[in-house]
Amino acid sequence: MFSYQGKNVVVVGGTSGINLGIAKRFSQAGANVAVASRSEDKVNAAVAELRLANSNGNHFGVCFDVRDLDALKQGFLTIKNTFAYIDVLVSGAAGNFPSSAENLSENGFKSVMDIDLLGSFQVLKQAYPLINARGGAIIQISAPQAYVPMPMQVHVCAAKAGVDMLTKTLAIEWGRKGIRINSIVPGPIAGTEGFDRLAPSAELQARVAKSVPLRRNGDCDDIANAALFLASDMASYITGTVLPVDGGWSLGGAGAAMAEIGQLATQRKS
Ligand code: COA
Ligand code: NAP
């Protein structure tokens, strides 16, 4: 439906789950796609999948931890040397685990803040000169925790709320440069690490599905469709938005479902 023929797309955290799904769809739409994450094995496997999706694209991977500024700078130098400029950046690296605030160490809180929030800022800063070259679109991958308080998720709630404020603030600062930036808020997405960690059984995932107004958990294509739209000219007047792609989950069901599931997870551990 959308053509990204010859466009340069970078997906940070693009080696598994939702973000890999996005990377593959951009590749299928004709883009050259670079993916980045910590694990060299995951990076290599993801690049192989991208080449299968579109053998004509110039696909490659870089390894870095978004918390390591030197490695990040090196990674973006590689991206600059290959692409020269970026048309679309997807920033989606994140970490999550369920923990009550009582049991969460300061370092556990800091780890998620460092990956999700400071890491996103560092990624955006490194990508900025390459997007500023010609203008482009940035998509941040947020979460319902950004605006739905959830027990066992204080670290993620704090971090993703910050991610969405990066989106809104930079939409103002960078709009005049021809750079649009929006957040996508995935709902519960089946078959992903993030959902498996929060609802670690088929029974719990089915329970979540019942709390979604559209009565199903999402899939990676649901999120990729939104990403291809938001990065396209069809969305050329959209910036600074936070778009839930969640079957209506964050309208009410998300908070109640995760409160119940969080308690069950606690009971099962003890
Ligand atoms: N419950 C409570 N605390 C936890 C935890 C859990 N399940 N998992 C990790 N922590 C704490 C650790 O105990 C540590 O704190 P401490 O030093 O006070 O003991 C801190 O978090 C950092 O853990 P560490 O394993 O050293 O972090 P890391 O940098 O290697 O990994 C994580 C980061 C913890 C976020 C890891 O889960 C990760 O890499 N996640 C990426 C994949 C993912 O989360 N996908 C879903 C995306 S939504
Ligand atoms: P995932 O498969 O674990 O994807 C996380 C990606 O980020 C991986 O490529 C991972 O690769 C990379 N990554 C993690 N920590 C990193 C770090 N410190 N530096 C660089 N890369 C790092 O998880 P997912 O469930 O698909 O989640 C993807 C995104 O969607 C996240 O932003 C998440 O918050 C959001 N989200 C997910 C859901 C859901 O239902 N799954 C719902 C709402 C929001 P490496 O391990 O190789 O680093």
Side-chain angles (χ1 to χ4, degrees):
M1 194 168 178
F2 294 101
S3 173
Y4 282 88
Q5 197 63 45
K7 300 283 187 191
N8 297 328
V9 176
V10 175
V11 186
V12 176
T15 60
S16 58
I18 290 172
N19 304 324
L20 176 58
I22 293 171
K24 284 201 290 197
R25 285 291 300 278
F26 273 113
S27 168
Q28 285 161 356
N32 306 309
V33 182
V35 287
S37 79
R38 294 167 300 177
S39 152
E40 194 174 353
D41 286 348
K42 281 178 72 173
V43 166
N44 289 338
V47 171
E49 284 203 45
L50 293 173
R51 290 187 177 140
L52 272 181
N54 166 16
S55 58
N56 294 321
N58 180 9
H59 306 313
F60 65 100
V62 285
C63 283
F64 54 68
D65 187 318
V66 294
R67 294 169 288 188
D68 180 344
L69 188 54
D70 288 339
L72 197 57
K73 284 181 176 170
Q74 195 57 45
F76 271 90
L77 190 59
T78 303
I79 290 167
K80 181 183 179 186
N81 289 340
T82 310
F83 278 167
Y85 60 87
I86 297 172
D87 294 297
V88 178
L89 171 75
V90 179
S91 175
N96 192 6
F97 49 81
S99 175
S100 66
E102 187 183 356
N103 290 325
L104 182 65
S105 69
E106 285 72 9
N107 193 43
F109 185 88
K110 182 176 181 301
S111 295
V112 170
M113 292 298 282
D114 282 354
I115 299 168
D116 292 25
L117 182 52
L118 179 58
S120 296
F121 178 68
Q122 296 192 151
V123 166
L124 296 172
K125 284 267 288 184
Q126 291 306 309
Y128 173 73
L130 301 184
I131 302 180
N132 192 29
R134 296 160 45 121
I138 300 171
I139 293 168
Q140 298 221 84
I141 306 302
S142 182
Q145 287 91 325
Y147 52 95
V148 179
M150 289 183 192
M152 312 289 281
Q153 289 285 273
V154 67
H155 41 322
V156 178
C157 291
K160 291 290 194 179
V163 166
D164 285 348
M165 284 311 285
L166 290 180
T167 292
K168 292 176 189 183
T169 311
L170 296 179
I172 299 171
E173 286 198 22
W174 293 352
R176 73 179 77 96
K177 307 282 189 178
I179 299 172
R180 297 185 299 106
I181 173 164
N182 294 287
S183 285
I184 289 177
V185 178
I189 303 302
T192 62
E193 182 70 25
F195 191 35
D196 287 349
R197 286 183 180 212
L198 292 188
S201 73
E203 178 212 332
L204 291 179
Q205 297 198 357
R207 215 183 273 208
V208 170
K210 282 190 189 145
S211 71
V212 176
L214 291 182
R215 291 294 185 275
R216 70 171 174 89
N217 294 320
D219 59 38
C220 291
D221 270 349
D222 291 318
I223 308 305
N225 287 338
L228 266 70
F229 163 69
L230 273 181
S232 77
D233 288 344
M234 298 283 283
S236 63
Y237 205 49
I238 302 178
T239 195
T241 63
V242 173
L243 177 67
V245 184
D246 68 351
W249 197 48
S250 57
L251 295 174
M258 293 315 294
E260 187 192 338
I261 284 171
Q263 277 168 7
L264 285 174
T266 312
Q267 282 163 15
R268 280 174 190 192
K269 269 186 201 160
S270 56

